[in-house]
Amino acid sequence: LASYGNVIILTHGKDIRSVILGEVNSKVKKGQEVRQGQIIGYTIANQGTKKSLYYEIRKKNKVQNTLAWLKRTNNTL
C-alpha cells in the first residue's frame, strides 16, 4: 500500500479496518488509540496541484464496497 503514498490504517475491532492512502501528514503514531472526531492527519497541499485521498474499508483484510458499507445503518465506525 505504501506505493500509493502515506498510509494510515485504523483498526475498529471485529477484523474491520479503515485504510487512508495519499499525500497526508499523519498526526498519529503507530499503535496510538484515537477517538471519534480526532484529527488524524492533514493532506499535503501544493498551490496549483490537485491532490487525491483514497479511503477504503476492509473486513478480514478484504476490500469492501465502502460506500455501500457506510450506508448501512448498523455499520458505524
Side-chain angles (χ1 to χ4, degrees), residues 8-56:
I8 299 174
I9 299 176
L10 302 173
T11 302
H12 303 285
K14 298 183 182 179
D15 290 322
I16 299 170
R17 293 180 180 86
S18 292
V19 179
I20 302 163
L21 304 168
E23 294 190 45
V24 60
N25 282 330
S26 178
K27 296 298 176 187
V28 293
K29 293 182 169 76
K30 184 176 181 177
Q32 179 181 342
E33 192 169 311
V34 296
R35 295 179 303 236
Q36 184 175 351
Q38 181 178 342
I39 294 173
I40 60 171
Y42 295 96
T43 56
I44 301 169
N46 294 326
Q47 192 171 20
T49 304
K50 290 185 179 181
K51 301 291 180 178
S52 62
L53 193 65
Y54 177 80
Y55 176 77
E56 71 181 22

